[in-house]
Amino acid sequence: ALWKFQAEHPANTSNHRSGAIITVPKQESLESPSQITQIQRDLRARLTSTARVDFRGSAGYQNATTRWSAGHHPDFAAVVVPTSTEDVAASIKLANTLGVPFLAVNRGHGTAMDINDCRHGINIHIRSLDSITFAEDGQSAVLGGGVYGDQVIRFLAVRGKATGLLGPGLGGGLGRYQGFYGLVADNILEMTVVTAKGSIVTASDRQNAGLFWAMRGAGHNFGIVTQIKYKIYDDVVPVWWIATYQFTKENIDQVFEVLNQLNGNGSQPKELTTYTVLAFDREVSHEPFIVVTIYFAGSATIGQIYAQPLLNLNPFSITNRTVPYPDLADAVGTGTSSPVCQQPGNSAALYPVGLLIFNTTAIHRVYDIYSDLVTNYPDFSHSIVQFEAYPVEKIQSVNHETTAYAHREDNLLVSLLSIYTPSTTNDIIALNYGRHIRDAFHAGQSSRQLNAYVNYASGDETVEEMYGHEEWRLKKLRRLKEEWDPQGRFGFYHPIHGLD
């Protein structure tokens, strides 16, 4: 097995492309009981009367610290449930005074390695900041910093509105509506940001423009967003057609040739998204198989035209249906209540690569590595390899210098999503296979530098791979980091360091 081969080779943590194993670092020891007492006392004194503070042993603490991936577990002395931007600011100021870390948490889905470095800090649980109101012009909405995609989509749908809020906007934000509206980040008009000093500022094209630029693509490094003003649109496509096709490995070349044709080197129709996975289920097959899902914003009649080349390949399973857009995620098993979203007790890790086309030679190699993982290690049997093809013309029509998001030229996004039983040994297995699959994908486009979508990044990627290879872009980010967070207080999600 691949794991056995890697275990026999010396560790090398300096270059992820070596494929070498790493030693999982030991966690730092906790702070003293007297400091815990001080945090508890001072938080109660500084917050508004409606805010809540939860401590170890309480149900509120348990709910706020349970994460999607059990392997990513920052340690908190206290949880603050704010009811205002001022509560967030007060929490940061106290953390700075005491010299303890803090971390903003919404639904707890982050899988960055750096999250585990937050030890005995303050969890600022912004999920409570979930207000949604329409602006007077009807063309924008004001969203609290704790809202999430499904919540906003359903709120707007019953009012005849739509938006592309389907991905974390601070890292760009990809999603099925991006063919119509572009990145989540491209639709943000204004932000209320609490900075590393605990200051409350407005960021927009007119106020603190540098911070606004950085927040849209590298925002996890610069502040906590408590409110945004966001573009909304009339919902012109309330119903979507979805179809799922399953194939054996013998169809790899033909399936991905069709997917390349549908993508058209980044020119696929704005209404069309394809999401493909390599999956493993012993009740279906003794070896991994291919699952292709087509999402079409429109009628089944037109959607079936795009799906016909896949039907011509004789899939061994076919399903299709038409659903209202708010029900789309639930229909394909990725809604907020679905098992993949809940992930009770499992660990998860992602290893992304941005591509221009699907290279079938590379995909055969990826298939072999993935098959080795899921067939030899039962703890990993629910892992998948993802192939995401969103319409990109709207994204690529925006000048790449206008935001910190650096990967507008990518047409496709692929990744291994490892899902496994938590253990130190399994963490290392996940890392080794993740690196090998990432390297195999990148070998299929060796003339390009590796791009890693920051919202998926595992944390062993370089700053350049996550935030862009252009020298001017990194210099600008580092200068802004020095200006807004010189002490690196926002350092637990793929951190950027300031100027030396």
Side-chain angles (χ1 to χ4, degrees):
L2 186 64
W3 161 242
K4 181 175 183 294
F5 171 82
Q6 288 303 318
E8 293 170 350
H9 285 68
N12 176 354
T13 62
S14 62
N15 185 347
H16 69 247
R17 289 187 181 82
S18 67
I21 66 172
I22 68 166
T23 302
V24 177
K26 292 182 179 180
Q27 298 175 356
E28 299 175 10
S29 60
L30 299 181
E31 300 291 341
S32 67
S34 62
Q35 189 169 23
I36 295 175
T37 301
Q38 185 178 5
I39 292 172
Q40 294 171 348
R41 182 178 61 248
D42 289 350
L43 278 173
R44 287 195 174 102
R46 297 189 183 209
L47 298 172
T48 61
S49 60
T50 53
R52 194 177 79 238
V53 182
D54 295 320
F55 302 108
R56 297 182 193 277
S58 69
Y61 181 96
Q62 179 66 29
N63 290 336
T65 57
T66 299
R67 299 188 63 81
W68 179 64
S69 171
H72 298 82
H73 45 82
D75 180 79
F76 300 109
V79 173
V80 174
V81 183
T83 57
S84 68
T85 298
E86 288 73 21
D87 287 331
V88 175
S91 301
I92 291 178
K93 289 177 180 177
L94 177 60
N96 290 340
T97 298
L98 298 177
V100 299
F102 58 85
L103 185 68
V105 178
N106 188 350
R107 294 178 64 82
H109 276 219
T111 56
M113 293 178 179
D114 313 280
I115 287 176
N116 287 335
D117 293 335
C118 183
R119 312 306 302 165
H120 218 58
I122 297 175
N123 175 333
I124 304 175
H125 201 66
I126 62 170
R127 177 70 191 91
S128 55
L129 304 177
D130 62 351
S131 62
I132 305 174
T133 58
F134 280 119
E136 291 183 2
D137 61 9
Q139 302 303 308
S140 62
V142 178
L143 313 177
V147 301
Y148 61 98
D150 185 66
Q151 174 190 4
V152 176
I153 289 166
R154 293 185 182 279
F155 178 90
L156 294 178
V158 298
R159 294 161 176 83
K161 296 290 184 178
T163 185
L165 190 66
L166 284 177
L170 299 186
L174 304 174
R176 289 180 286 267
Y177 252 136
Q178 71 181 45
F180 293 86
Y181 311 127
L183 293 173
V184 171
D186 294 337
N187 287 277
I188 298 173
L189 300 171
E190 183 178 288
M191 299 177 171
T192 300
V193 181
V194 184
T195 71
K197 295 180 180 179
S199 301
I200 301 171
V201 302
T202 298
S204 69
D205 283 332
R206 299 177 303 280
Q207 295 177 267
N208 299 304
L211 177 63
F212 189 54
W213 178 88
M215 291 297 296
R216 294 172 297 154
H220 318 89
N221 280 272
F222 292 93
I224 298 176
V225 178
T226 60
Q227 186 173 276
I228 64 171
K229 186 177 182 182
Y230 196 79
K231 295 178 185 177
I232 60 175
Y233 306 87
D234 292 333
D235 189 2
V236 296
V237 191
V239 176
W240 287 51
W241 180 74
I242 53 175
T244 300
Y245 309 97
Q246 296 184 9
F247 301 90
T248 66
K249 69 175 182 180
E250 286 73 27
N251 291 114
I252 285 178
D253 290 316
Q254 300 98 318
V255 166
F256 284 96
E257 180 181 351
V258 169
L259 293 176
N260 277 331
Q261 291 171 354
L262 290 175
N263 180 255
N265 196 28
S267 64
Q268 73 188 55
K270 65 182 180 181
E271 300 88 356
L272 177 66
T273 293
T274 65
Y275 175 73
T276 303
V277 299
L278 302 181
F280 181 61
D281 184 345
R282 292 188 187 278
E283 295 185 1
V284 175
S285 173
H286 67 281
E287 59 187 4
F289 52 94
I290 309 162
V291 183
V292 181
T293 301
I294 284 185
Y295 303 86
F296 185 76
S299 69
T301 301
I302 300 176
Q304 287 167 355
I305 295 173
Y306 293 104
Q308 189 60 48
L310 291 168
L311 279 171
N312 293 342
L313 300 178
N314 298 315
F316 67 81
S317 175
I318 302 170
T319 62
N320 63 79
R321 61 189 294 193
T322 300
V323 298
Y325 185 73
D327 298 333
L328 194 61
D330 288 333
V332 295
T334 58
T336 55
S337 60
S338 67
V340 71
C341 191
Q342 296 298 314
Q343 278 292 97
N346 286 328
S347 288
L350 283 149
Y351 298 86
V353 181
L355 302 177
L356 294 180
I357 63 168
F358 293 127
N359 182 307
T360 55
T361 300
I363 292 170
H364 278 285
R365 175 60 179 149
V366 166
Y367 180 95
D368 290 342
I369 300 171
Y370 170 73
S371 180
D372 187 80
L373 172 66
V374 295
T375 58
N376 285 297
Y377 301 100
D379 283 354
F380 288 80
S381 62
H382 296 295
S383 302
I384 59 175
V385 179
Q386 303 180 106
F387 305 79
E388 300 176 60
Y390 302 103
V392 296
E393 286 190 319
K394 184 73 172 180
I395 291 175
Q396 294 177 354
S397 69
V398 176
N399 188 315
H400 73 288
E401 297 182 5
T402 57
T403 68
Y405 180 73
H407 304 319
R408 292 182 187 273
E409 75 276 15
D410 291 342
N411 295 330
L412 307 162
L413 177 62
V414 295
S415 60
L416 170 67
L417 170 55
S418 287
I419 300 171
Y420 57 95
T421 306
S423 75
T424 299
T425 297
N426 282 348
D427 287 340
I428 298 173
I429 293 173
L431 178 61
N432 288 332
Y433 278 88
R435 286 177 169 178
H436 275 272
I437 284 180
R438 180 175 59 197
D439 291 349
F441 274 126
H442 190 236
Q445 55 169 22
S446 57
S447 61
R448 297 186 78 218
Q449 294 172 303
L450 191 146
N451 290 341
Y453 181 46
V454 69
N455 287 332
Y456 282 16
S458 67
D460 73 326
E461 299 90 348
T462 67
V463 173
E464 290 81 3
E465 288 165 351
M466 291 186 289
Y467 295 110
H469 298 276
E470 307 104 315
E471 184 178 357
W472 70 267
R473 185 182 296 275
L474 292 177
K475 282 185 176 181
K476 184 172 182 177
L477 281 169
R478 287 174 173 138
R479 177 179 57 78
L480 289 164
K481 183 70 170 178
E482 190 71 19
E483 177 183 352
W484 290 98
D485 184 19
Q487 302 302 316
R489 298 292 279 157
F490 293 105
F492 302 115
Y493 195 93
H494 308 315
I496 297 167
H497 301 290
L499 299 171
D500 295 330

